[in-house]
Short mmCIF file of all heavy atoms in Angstrom, two decimals:
data_model
loop_
_atom_site.label_atom_id
_atom_site.label_comp_id
_atom_site.label_asym_id
_atom_site.label_seq_id
_atom_site.Cartn_x
_atom_site.Cartn_y
_atom_site.Cartn_z
N MET A 1 -39.27 63.25 -21.00
CA MET A 1 -38.65 61.96 -20.76
C MET A 1 -39.29 61.32 -19.53
O MET A 1 -39.39 61.95 -18.49
CB MET A 1 -37.15 62.15 -20.57
CG MET A 1 -36.39 60.89 -20.35
SD MET A 1 -34.65 61.34 -20.25
CE MET A 1 -33.95 59.78 -20.10
N THR A 2 -39.74 60.11 -19.66
CA THR A 2 -40.37 59.44 -18.53
C THR A 2 -39.34 58.61 -17.78
O THR A 2 -38.44 58.03 -18.38
CB THR A 2 -41.51 58.53 -19.00
OG1 THR A 2 -40.97 57.54 -19.87
CG2 THR A 2 -42.58 59.34 -19.71
N GLN A 3 -39.48 58.57 -16.48
CA GLN A 3 -38.60 57.75 -15.66
C GLN A 3 -39.36 56.53 -15.20
O GLN A 3 -40.55 56.61 -14.87
CB GLN A 3 -38.11 58.53 -14.45
CG GLN A 3 -37.16 59.65 -14.80
CD GLN A 3 -36.63 60.33 -13.56
OE1 GLN A 3 -37.20 60.19 -12.49
NE2 GLN A 3 -35.57 61.08 -13.70
N GLN A 4 -38.67 55.40 -15.17
CA GLN A 4 -39.32 54.18 -14.72
C GLN A 4 -39.36 54.17 -13.20
O GLN A 4 -38.37 54.42 -12.54
CB GLN A 4 -38.54 52.97 -15.23
CG GLN A 4 -39.24 51.67 -14.96
CD GLN A 4 -38.56 50.52 -15.67
OE1 GLN A 4 -37.56 50.70 -16.33
NE2 GLN A 4 -39.09 49.35 -15.51
N LYS A 5 -40.53 53.90 -12.65
CA LYS A 5 -40.71 53.88 -11.20
C LYS A 5 -40.55 52.44 -10.72
O LYS A 5 -41.18 51.54 -11.23
CB LYS A 5 -42.09 54.40 -10.84
CG LYS A 5 -42.34 54.42 -9.36
CD LYS A 5 -43.71 54.97 -9.05
CE LYS A 5 -43.95 54.97 -7.58
NZ LYS A 5 -44.77 53.87 -7.13
N HIS A 6 -39.70 52.26 -9.75
CA HIS A 6 -39.48 50.94 -9.18
C HIS A 6 -40.19 50.85 -7.83
O HIS A 6 -40.38 51.86 -7.16
CB HIS A 6 -37.98 50.69 -8.98
CG HIS A 6 -37.23 50.60 -10.27
ND1 HIS A 6 -37.23 49.47 -11.03
CD2 HIS A 6 -36.48 51.49 -10.93
CE1 HIS A 6 -36.49 49.67 -12.10
NE2 HIS A 6 -36.04 50.90 -12.07
N PRO A 7 -40.56 49.65 -7.42
CA PRO A 7 -41.18 49.52 -6.11
C PRO A 7 -40.18 49.83 -5.00
O PRO A 7 -38.96 49.73 -5.20
CB PRO A 7 -41.62 48.05 -6.06
CG PRO A 7 -40.78 47.37 -7.06
CD PRO A 7 -40.45 48.38 -8.10
N THR A 8 -40.69 50.21 -3.85
CA THR A 8 -39.81 50.52 -2.73
C THR A 8 -39.20 49.23 -2.18
O THR A 8 -39.69 48.13 -2.45
CB THR A 8 -40.58 51.22 -1.62
OG1 THR A 8 -41.56 50.31 -1.10
CG2 THR A 8 -41.26 52.49 -2.11
N LYS A 9 -38.17 49.38 -1.40
CA LYS A 9 -37.53 48.21 -0.77
C LYS A 9 -38.52 47.48 0.13
O LYS A 9 -38.52 46.26 0.21
CB LYS A 9 -36.31 48.64 0.04
CG LYS A 9 -35.16 49.08 -0.81
CD LYS A 9 -33.97 49.47 0.03
CE LYS A 9 -32.83 49.95 -0.85
NZ LYS A 9 -31.67 50.32 -0.06
N GLU A 10 -39.37 48.25 0.79
CA GLU A 10 -40.37 47.64 1.68
C GLU A 10 -41.37 46.80 0.87
O GLU A 10 -41.75 45.70 1.29
CB GLU A 10 -41.10 48.71 2.47
CG GLU A 10 -42.03 48.16 3.54
CD GLU A 10 -41.31 47.30 4.58
OE1 GLU A 10 -40.17 47.59 4.93
OE2 GLU A 10 -41.93 46.32 5.03
N GLN A 11 -41.79 47.29 -0.28
CA GLN A 11 -42.71 46.52 -1.13
C GLN A 11 -42.05 45.23 -1.61
O GLN A 11 -42.69 44.17 -1.65
CB GLN A 11 -43.14 47.35 -2.34
CG GLN A 11 -44.08 48.47 -2.00
CD GLN A 11 -44.36 49.35 -3.20
OE1 GLN A 11 -43.45 49.71 -3.94
NE2 GLN A 11 -45.63 49.69 -3.39
N ILE A 12 -40.78 45.30 -1.95
CA ILE A 12 -40.07 44.10 -2.39
C ILE A 12 -39.94 43.12 -1.25
O ILE A 12 -40.15 41.91 -1.42
CB ILE A 12 -38.69 44.48 -2.96
CG1 ILE A 12 -38.88 45.28 -4.24
CG2 ILE A 12 -37.84 43.24 -3.22
CD1 ILE A 12 -37.62 45.90 -4.79
N ARG A 13 -39.63 43.60 -0.05
CA ARG A 13 -39.53 42.71 1.13
C ARG A 13 -40.86 42.01 1.40
O ARG A 13 -40.91 40.81 1.66
CB ARG A 13 -39.09 43.50 2.35
CG ARG A 13 -37.65 43.88 2.34
CD ARG A 13 -37.24 44.55 3.65
NE ARG A 13 -35.90 45.05 3.52
CZ ARG A 13 -35.56 46.34 3.56
NH1 ARG A 13 -36.49 47.26 3.76
NH2 ARG A 13 -34.32 46.72 3.44
N GLN A 14 -41.95 42.77 1.34
CA GLN A 14 -43.27 42.18 1.57
C GLN A 14 -43.58 41.13 0.51
O GLN A 14 -44.12 40.07 0.82
CB GLN A 14 -44.35 43.27 1.56
CG GLN A 14 -44.29 44.18 2.76
CD GLN A 14 -45.26 45.36 2.64
OE1 GLN A 14 -45.86 45.58 1.60
NE2 GLN A 14 -45.38 46.12 3.72
N TYR A 15 -43.24 41.43 -0.73
CA TYR A 15 -43.48 40.48 -1.82
C TYR A 15 -42.68 39.19 -1.59
O TYR A 15 -43.22 38.09 -1.71
CB TYR A 15 -43.10 41.12 -3.15
CG TYR A 15 -43.13 40.14 -4.30
CD1 TYR A 15 -44.32 39.78 -4.89
CD2 TYR A 15 -41.96 39.56 -4.78
CE1 TYR A 15 -44.36 38.88 -5.93
CE2 TYR A 15 -41.99 38.66 -5.81
CZ TYR A 15 -43.19 38.32 -6.39
OH TYR A 15 -43.21 37.42 -7.41
N LEU A 16 -41.41 39.33 -1.25
CA LEU A 16 -40.57 38.15 -1.03
C LEU A 16 -41.05 37.33 0.17
O LEU A 16 -41.03 36.09 0.13
CB LEU A 16 -39.11 38.57 -0.85
CG LEU A 16 -38.43 39.12 -2.11
CD1 LEU A 16 -37.04 39.65 -1.78
CD2 LEU A 16 -38.37 38.07 -3.19
N GLU A 17 -41.47 38.00 1.22
CA GLU A 17 -42.00 37.28 2.39
C GLU A 17 -43.25 36.50 2.02
O GLU A 17 -43.43 35.35 2.42
CB GLU A 17 -42.29 38.25 3.53
CG GLU A 17 -41.03 38.79 4.20
CD GLU A 17 -41.34 39.87 5.22
OE1 GLU A 17 -42.53 40.14 5.49
OE2 GLU A 17 -40.37 40.46 5.74
N ALA A 18 -44.13 37.10 1.24
CA ALA A 18 -45.34 36.41 0.82
C ALA A 18 -45.00 35.23 -0.08
O ALA A 18 -45.60 34.16 0.02
CB ALA A 18 -46.26 37.39 0.08
N ARG A 19 -44.02 35.40 -0.96
CA ARG A 19 -43.60 34.31 -1.85
C ARG A 19 -43.02 33.14 -1.05
O ARG A 19 -43.30 31.99 -1.34
CB ARG A 19 -42.53 34.81 -2.83
CG ARG A 19 -43.05 35.71 -3.90
CD ARG A 19 -43.87 35.00 -4.94
NE ARG A 19 -43.18 33.82 -5.41
CZ ARG A 19 -43.77 32.65 -5.65
NH1 ARG A 19 -45.05 32.52 -5.48
NH2 ARG A 19 -43.08 31.62 -6.06
N GLN A 20 -42.22 33.43 -0.03
CA GLN A 20 -41.63 32.37 0.78
C GLN A 20 -42.70 31.62 1.55
O GLN A 20 -42.60 30.41 1.76
CB GLN A 20 -40.59 32.95 1.73
CG GLN A 20 -39.32 33.40 1.02
CD GLN A 20 -38.33 34.06 1.95
OE1 GLN A 20 -38.66 34.39 3.09
NE2 GLN A 20 -37.13 34.29 1.46
N ALA A 21 -43.74 32.31 1.97
CA ALA A 21 -44.81 31.68 2.73
C ALA A 21 -45.61 30.72 1.87
O ALA A 21 -46.19 29.75 2.37
CB ALA A 21 -45.72 32.75 3.33
N GLU A 22 -45.67 30.95 0.55
CA GLU A 22 -46.46 30.10 -0.34
C GLU A 22 -45.82 28.75 -0.61
O GLU A 22 -46.50 27.78 -0.92
CB GLU A 22 -46.70 30.83 -1.67
CG GLU A 22 -47.65 31.98 -1.55
CD GLU A 22 -47.88 32.68 -2.89
OE1 GLU A 22 -47.59 32.07 -3.94
OE2 GLU A 22 -48.33 33.82 -2.87
N ARG A 23 -44.50 28.67 -0.52
CA ARG A 23 -43.77 27.41 -0.74
C ARG A 23 -44.09 26.75 -2.07
O ARG A 23 -44.41 25.57 -2.14
CB ARG A 23 -44.04 26.44 0.39
CG ARG A 23 -43.66 26.96 1.74
CD ARG A 23 -42.68 26.01 2.37
NE ARG A 23 -42.40 26.42 3.73
CZ ARG A 23 -41.18 26.76 4.12
NH1 ARG A 23 -40.18 26.70 3.30
NH2 ARG A 23 -40.98 27.12 5.35
N CYS A 24 -44.04 27.52 -3.14
CA CYS A 24 -44.24 26.96 -4.47
C CYS A 24 -43.17 27.54 -5.39
O CYS A 24 -42.50 28.50 -5.04
CB CYS A 24 -45.65 27.24 -4.99
SG CYS A 24 -46.05 28.97 -5.12
N PRO A 25 -42.99 26.97 -6.57
CA PRO A 25 -41.96 27.49 -7.48
C PRO A 25 -42.19 28.96 -7.81
O PRO A 25 -43.34 29.42 -7.84
CB PRO A 25 -42.10 26.64 -8.74
CG PRO A 25 -42.97 25.50 -8.38
CD PRO A 25 -43.73 25.86 -7.15
N PRO A 26 -41.13 29.69 -8.06
CA PRO A 26 -41.30 31.11 -8.38
C PRO A 26 -42.03 31.31 -9.70
O PRO A 26 -41.91 30.49 -10.61
CB PRO A 26 -39.86 31.64 -8.48
CG PRO A 26 -39.01 30.45 -8.69
CD PRO A 26 -39.73 29.29 -8.08
N PRO A 27 -42.79 32.38 -9.79
CA PRO A 27 -43.51 32.67 -11.04
C PRO A 27 -42.55 33.17 -12.11
O PRO A 27 -41.39 33.48 -11.82
CB PRO A 27 -44.50 33.75 -10.64
CG PRO A 27 -43.87 34.42 -9.48
CD PRO A 27 -43.09 33.36 -8.76
N SER A 28 -43.05 33.31 -13.31
CA SER A 28 -42.23 33.84 -14.40
C SER A 28 -41.94 35.32 -14.14
O SER A 28 -42.61 35.98 -13.35
CB SER A 28 -42.98 33.69 -15.72
OG SER A 28 -44.12 34.53 -15.72
N MET A 29 -40.93 35.83 -14.85
CA MET A 29 -40.59 37.25 -14.71
C MET A 29 -41.77 38.14 -15.10
O MET A 29 -42.01 39.16 -14.48
CB MET A 29 -39.36 37.59 -15.56
CG MET A 29 -38.07 36.98 -15.03
SD MET A 29 -37.68 37.50 -13.35
CE MET A 29 -37.37 39.22 -13.60
N GLN A 30 -42.51 37.72 -16.11
CA GLN A 30 -43.67 38.50 -16.55
C GLN A 30 -44.71 38.57 -15.43
O GLN A 30 -45.30 39.62 -15.18
CB GLN A 30 -44.27 37.88 -17.80
CG GLN A 30 -45.43 38.67 -18.35
CD GLN A 30 -45.97 38.05 -19.64
OE1 GLN A 30 -45.57 36.96 -20.02
NE2 GLN A 30 -46.87 38.74 -20.29
N GLU A 31 -44.94 37.47 -14.73
CA GLU A 31 -45.90 37.45 -13.62
C GLU A 31 -45.42 38.30 -12.46
O GLU A 31 -46.20 39.01 -11.83
CB GLU A 31 -46.15 36.00 -13.17
CG GLU A 31 -47.10 35.89 -12.01
CD GLU A 31 -48.50 36.43 -12.26
OE1 GLU A 31 -48.89 36.60 -13.42
OE2 GLU A 31 -49.23 36.67 -11.28
N ILE A 32 -44.13 38.25 -12.16
CA ILE A 32 -43.58 39.08 -11.09
C ILE A 32 -43.77 40.55 -11.41
O ILE A 32 -44.22 41.33 -10.57
CB ILE A 32 -42.09 38.76 -10.86
CG1 ILE A 32 -41.93 37.35 -10.30
CG2 ILE A 32 -41.44 39.79 -9.93
CD1 ILE A 32 -40.51 36.86 -10.24
N ARG A 33 -43.46 40.93 -12.66
CA ARG A 33 -43.66 42.33 -13.07
C ARG A 33 -45.13 42.73 -12.95
O ARG A 33 -45.45 43.83 -12.52
CB ARG A 33 -43.18 42.52 -14.51
CG ARG A 33 -41.68 42.48 -14.64
CD ARG A 33 -41.26 42.78 -16.07
NE ARG A 33 -39.83 42.63 -16.20
CZ ARG A 33 -39.24 41.60 -16.81
NH1 ARG A 33 -39.97 40.66 -17.39
NH2 ARG A 33 -37.93 41.52 -16.87
N ARG A 34 -46.05 41.82 -13.33
CA ARG A 34 -47.47 42.12 -13.23
C ARG A 34 -47.88 42.34 -11.78
O ARG A 34 -48.58 43.29 -11.44
CB ARG A 34 -48.30 40.98 -13.83
CG ARG A 34 -49.79 41.32 -13.92
CD ARG A 34 -50.64 40.10 -14.21
NE ARG A 34 -50.63 39.15 -13.11
CZ ARG A 34 -51.29 39.29 -11.95
NH1 ARG A 34 -52.02 40.35 -11.73
NH2 ARG A 34 -51.23 38.37 -11.02
N GLN A 35 -47.40 41.46 -10.87
CA GLN A 35 -47.76 41.56 -9.46
C GLN A 35 -47.22 42.85 -8.83
O GLN A 35 -47.85 43.42 -7.94
CB GLN A 35 -47.23 40.35 -8.69
CG GLN A 35 -47.97 39.07 -9.01
CD GLN A 35 -47.41 37.87 -8.26
OE1 GLN A 35 -46.65 38.01 -7.31
NE2 GLN A 35 -47.80 36.68 -8.71
N LEU A 36 -46.05 43.30 -9.28
CA LEU A 36 -45.45 44.52 -8.73
C LEU A 36 -45.94 45.78 -9.44
O LEU A 36 -45.60 46.88 -9.04
CB LEU A 36 -43.93 44.44 -8.82
CG LEU A 36 -43.28 43.39 -7.93
CD1 LEU A 36 -41.79 43.31 -8.22
CD2 LEU A 36 -43.52 43.70 -6.46
N GLY A 37 -46.74 45.60 -10.50
CA GLY A 37 -47.27 46.76 -11.21
C GLY A 37 -46.33 47.32 -12.26
O GLY A 37 -46.55 48.40 -12.78
N TRP A 38 -45.25 46.61 -12.57
CA TRP A 38 -44.30 47.10 -13.56
C TRP A 38 -44.84 46.96 -14.96
O TRP A 38 -44.37 47.63 -15.88
CB TRP A 38 -42.98 46.34 -13.47
CG TRP A 38 -42.15 46.69 -12.28
CD1 TRP A 38 -42.52 47.47 -11.22
CD2 TRP A 38 -40.83 46.28 -12.03
NE1 TRP A 38 -41.50 47.54 -10.32
CE2 TRP A 38 -40.45 46.82 -10.79
CE3 TRP A 38 -39.93 45.49 -12.72
CZ2 TRP A 38 -39.19 46.60 -10.25
CZ3 TRP A 38 -38.69 45.28 -12.17
CH2 TRP A 38 -38.33 45.83 -10.95
N ASP A 39 -45.81 46.10 -15.20
CA ASP A 39 -46.33 45.91 -16.55
C ASP A 39 -47.12 47.12 -17.02
O ASP A 39 -47.38 47.28 -18.21
CB ASP A 39 -47.20 44.65 -16.63
CG ASP A 39 -48.44 44.73 -15.75
OD1 ASP A 39 -48.43 45.47 -14.76
OD2 ASP A 39 -49.42 44.04 -16.08
N MET A 40 -47.51 47.97 -16.11
CA MET A 40 -48.29 49.15 -16.46
C MET A 40 -47.40 50.32 -16.87
O MET A 40 -47.88 51.34 -17.34
CB MET A 40 -49.18 49.55 -15.29
CG MET A 40 -50.18 48.47 -14.96
SD MET A 40 -51.16 48.67 -13.45
CE MET A 40 -51.10 50.34 -13.04
N LEU A 41 -46.10 50.17 -16.70
CA LEU A 41 -45.17 51.25 -17.01
C LEU A 41 -44.64 51.11 -18.42
O LEU A 41 -44.43 50.01 -18.91
CB LEU A 41 -43.98 51.20 -16.04
CG LEU A 41 -44.33 51.30 -14.56
CD1 LEU A 41 -43.09 51.08 -13.72
CD2 LEU A 41 -44.90 52.67 -14.26
N ARG A 42 -44.42 52.23 -19.05
CA ARG A 42 -43.79 52.21 -20.36
C ARG A 42 -42.28 52.18 -20.15
O ARG A 42 -41.77 52.88 -19.27
CB ARG A 42 -44.17 53.45 -21.15
CG ARG A 42 -45.58 53.38 -21.68
CD ARG A 42 -45.80 54.48 -22.65
NE ARG A 42 -46.48 55.57 -21.91
CZ ARG A 42 -46.57 56.79 -22.33
NH1 ARG A 42 -46.01 57.16 -23.44
NH2 ARG A 42 -47.22 57.68 -21.61
N PRO A 43 -41.55 51.42 -20.94
CA PRO A 43 -40.10 51.42 -20.79
C PRO A 43 -39.51 52.79 -21.10
O PRO A 43 -40.04 53.50 -21.98
CB PRO A 43 -39.63 50.37 -21.79
CG PRO A 43 -40.77 50.11 -22.70
CD PRO A 43 -42.03 50.54 -21.99
N ALA A 44 -38.47 53.13 -20.40
CA ALA A 44 -37.82 54.42 -20.63
C ALA A 44 -37.16 54.42 -22.00
O ALA A 44 -36.69 53.39 -22.48
CB ALA A 44 -36.78 54.67 -19.53
N ALA A 45 -37.14 55.58 -22.61
CA ALA A 45 -36.51 55.70 -23.93
C ALA A 45 -35.01 55.50 -23.78
O ALA A 45 -34.40 56.01 -22.83
CB ALA A 45 -36.81 57.08 -24.51
N PRO A 46 -34.40 54.74 -24.68
CA PRO A 46 -32.95 54.53 -24.57
C PRO A 46 -32.20 55.84 -24.79
O PRO A 46 -32.64 56.69 -25.57
CB PRO A 46 -32.65 53.52 -25.67
CG PRO A 46 -33.78 53.64 -26.63
CD PRO A 46 -34.97 54.08 -25.83
N LEU A 47 -31.08 55.97 -24.12
CA LEU A 47 -30.27 57.18 -24.26
C LEU A 47 -29.52 57.11 -25.59
O LEU A 47 -29.01 56.07 -25.98
CB LEU A 47 -29.27 57.29 -23.11
CG LEU A 47 -29.89 57.43 -21.72
CD1 LEU A 47 -28.80 57.41 -20.66
CD2 LEU A 47 -30.68 58.72 -21.62
N ALA A 48 -29.46 58.22 -26.25
CA ALA A 48 -28.75 58.28 -27.54
C ALA A 48 -27.24 58.27 -27.27
O ALA A 48 -26.76 58.84 -26.29
CB ALA A 48 -29.14 59.53 -28.30
N TYR A 49 -26.52 57.60 -28.13
CA TYR A 49 -25.06 57.62 -28.00
C TYR A 49 -24.54 58.99 -28.39
O TYR A 49 -25.03 59.64 -29.29
CB TYR A 49 -24.44 56.54 -28.92
CG TYR A 49 -24.72 55.16 -28.44
CD1 TYR A 49 -25.73 54.38 -29.02
CD2 TYR A 49 -24.01 54.62 -27.38
CE1 TYR A 49 -25.99 53.11 -28.58
CE2 TYR A 49 -24.28 53.35 -26.94
CZ TYR A 49 -25.25 52.58 -27.53
OH TYR A 49 -25.52 51.33 -27.09
N ARG A 50 -23.53 59.39 -27.69
CA ARG A 50 -22.95 60.73 -27.95
C ARG A 50 -21.82 60.65 -28.94
O ARG A 50 -21.13 59.80 -29.13
CB ARG A 50 -22.44 61.35 -26.67
CG ARG A 50 -23.59 61.63 -25.71
CD ARG A 50 -23.09 62.24 -24.47
NE ARG A 50 -24.22 62.35 -23.54
CZ ARG A 50 -24.12 62.85 -22.35
NH1 ARG A 50 -22.99 63.31 -21.92
NH2 ARG A 50 -25.16 62.91 -21.58
#
């Protein structure tokens, strides 16, 4: 079973600071995932109902 890896809080803070400095509309969710490297991860398998 693979676990999805999330960025650290520090990486998210750095990303948000950089975004605020750009002063432009936020990118799409797909672009945010690409910038954070989440697009390279496979989604975790859903848990089976018991």
